[in-house]
């Protein structure tokens, strides 16, 4: 049986690794030219996804790269009022540690046999057991797994569903080597998550393993065309910072100082989601996992679900040797239920973040009663 996985993200790599642990080989086709081709972004909090790393035989290696103190949390209001501060004790269990996405991806990549990932292979189409890649080239498959993320092309083989705009646009910026360059701001942000919410906006700063503080500025209840009308001159980073500071007018100057201290790396992000509870009629030769199957609001579930999908699909294939149809049906039944529940929970959290009294509601969420 030839298993072709499209996409070397966390979900596709977890699938390949757990298959390998069970003596089943697969090929991963990735459109990026190499593992270093694209920055992998910031930190992920990994909780339910730890089971996948256990199935992958990599849990000790995961805890070695995870940051328990990354669970620290500070929640503030735009006028500077501190609503909540939670510092993680040194001996706290690693229930939701933060890990650098690039480190986690490297852990999975390094645990695969040489040559498993074929870099520079962008999936274009599949028909009758043959995959075709952009720029020419083809490969055979018995089972095709679309692990190709939010804008999956494999998805179209199973469903007409497409991601729709979430009503949130974000700009990602960051301060490199913050301890050296801005020790005062480093102390303010702390070791983990620093959240300021209000006025239909949020500023989420987070310390990364490499000493960079990444800052996500989100604009809620904004439409698909928001970037075209917001007057942010993305081709001029200094003017972009000035415009972002304008957009946060009235916020405590400590928060706008964070924006002023950022370097020139600016990433706009228009957020989309798939319909909650998306399913499709099972097919024995194609399935999906991760964001390709269930793109959710970015409130801390997506990477965990992608890792679990990969591991559980691998376990189903190992449990039904020679019967893909049974394996895929079993995998999809569990995956639809589990990720449907996660998507509903994520949508509730998103609704909270988009509400006018978001900071107070988030405080209640963390400190019920
Ligand atoms: C700002 C932000 C913060 C987040 N924070 C968290 C968090 O803290 N915790 C959490 O659980 N989740 C988080 N998420 C969600 C999480 O990042 C995703 O859910 C997760 O990465 C999905 O994994 P995946 O393997 O399905 O897809 P991806 O990680 O997107 O990987 C898809 C891979 O497919 C490749 N690909 C795409 N198209 C093709 C093609 N045509 N041919 C070949 N290869 C292709 C891509 O290059 C990529 O390598 C966050 C998301 C965002 C945007």
């Amino acid at each position: 049986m030839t298993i072709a996985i499209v996409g070397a993200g966390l979900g596709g790599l977890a699938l390949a690794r757990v298959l390998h642990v069970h003596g089943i080989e697969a090929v991963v086709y990735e459109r990026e030219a190499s593992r270093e081709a694209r920055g992998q972004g910031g930190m992920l909090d990994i909780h339910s996804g730890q089971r996948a790393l256990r199935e992958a035989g990599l849990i000790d290696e995961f805890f070695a790269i995870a940051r328990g103190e990354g669970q620290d949390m500070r929640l503030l209001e735009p006028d500077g009022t501190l609503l909540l501060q939670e510092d993680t004790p040194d001996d706290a269990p690693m229930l939701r540690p933060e890990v650098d996405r690039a480190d986690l991806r490297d852990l999975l990549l390094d645990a695969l046999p040489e040559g498993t990932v074929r870099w520079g292979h962008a999936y274009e189409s599949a028909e009758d057991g043959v995959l075709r890649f952009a720029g020419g080239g083809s490969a055979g498959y018995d089972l095709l797994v679309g692990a190709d993320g939010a804008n999956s092309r494999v998805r179209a083989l199973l469903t007409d569903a497409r991601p729709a705009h979430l009503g949130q646009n974000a700009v990602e910026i960051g301060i490199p080597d913050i301890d050296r360059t801005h020790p005062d701001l480093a102390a303010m942000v702390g070791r983990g998550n620093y959240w300021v919410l209000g006025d239909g906006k949020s500023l989420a700063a987070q310390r990364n393993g490499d000493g960079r503080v990444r800052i996500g500025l989100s604009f809620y209840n904004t439409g698909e065309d928001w970037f075209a009308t917001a007057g942010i001159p993305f081709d001029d980073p200094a003017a972009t910072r000035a415009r972002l500071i304008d957009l946060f007018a009235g916020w405590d100057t400590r928060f706008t100082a964070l924006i002023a201290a950022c370097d020139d790396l600016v990433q706009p992000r228009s957020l989309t989601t798939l319909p909650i509870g998306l399913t499709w009629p099972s097919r024995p030769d194609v399935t999906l996992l991760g964001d390709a199957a269930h793109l959710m609001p970015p409130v801390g579930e997506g990477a965990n679900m992608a890792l679990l999908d990969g591991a559980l699909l691998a376990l189903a294939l190992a449990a039904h040797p020679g019967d893909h149809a049974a394996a895929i049906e079993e995998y999809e039944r569990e995956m639809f239920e589990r990720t449907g529940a996660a998507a509903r929970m994520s949508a509730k959290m998103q609704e909270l973040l988009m509400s006018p009294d978001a900071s107070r509601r988030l405080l209640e969420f963390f400190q019920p009663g």
Side-chain angles (χ1 to χ4, degrees), residues 6-12 29-32 38 43-47 98 101 105 121-123 147-150 153 172 269 271 289-292 298 300-304 306:
V6 175
L10 299 177
Y29 296 101
E30 167 58 49
R31 72 175 169 195
E32 301 288 346
R38 188 170 53 98
M43 307 296 285
L44 298 167
D45 71 309
I46 299 300
H47 39 96
E98 297 279 341
R101 185 194 291 267
R105 189 174 186 239
H121 283 71
Y123 166 92
D148 49 342
R153 292 190 70 152
E172 276 181 29
R269 228 182 249 285
L271 295 162
L289 60 73
D291 282 359
E301 289 293 330
N304 286 278

Side-chain angles (χ1 to χ4, degrees), residues 224-248:
E224 217 164 339
D225 60 349
W226 186 78
F227 280 121
T229 57
I232 306 173
F234 285 109
D235 55 346
D236 179 345
T240 291
R241 283 189 289 276
R243 174 65 185 141
L244 290 170
I245 289 171
D246 261 6
L247 289 168
F248 282 81

Side-chain angles (χ1 to χ4, degrees), residues 55-128:
E55 299 291 351
L58 296 171
I59 196 70
D60 292 338
E61 291 83 348
F62 166 73
F63 285 132
I65 58 170
R67 294 179 56 244
E69 72 277 17
Q71 299 168 104
D72 285 8
M73 166 73 148
R74 292 175 191 181
L75 175 64
L76 299 101
E77 291 193 310
D79 66 1
T81 308
L82 179 67
L83 294 178
L84 176 72
Q85 174 161 351
E86 280 181 358
D87 294 326
T88 316
D90 288 346
D91 59 352
M94 297 272 254
L95 296 179
R96 301 182 72 101
E98 297 279 341
V99 67
D100 197 299
R101 185 194 291 267
D103 291 346
L104 182 55
R105 189 174 186 239
D106 281 347
L107 176 63
L108 290 163
L109 279 169
D110 291 340
L112 290 173
E114 191 75 29
T116 301
V117 179
R118 311 272 161 89
W119 301 99
H121 283 71
Y123 166 92
E124 211 164 60
S125 64
E127 208 177 336
D128 299 332

Side-chain angles (χ1 to χ4, degrees), residues 276-278 294 296-297 299 301 305 333-349:
I276 295 173
L278 175 68
H294 44 66
M296 304 173 194
V299 294
E301 289 293 330
M305 290 299 126
R333 201 176 314 117
E334 188 279 338
M335 184 269 285
F336 289 147
E337 199 178 311
R338 169 173 47 81
T339 64
R344 280 190 294 279
M345 198 177 74
S346 299
K348 270 195 196 150
M349 177 58 86

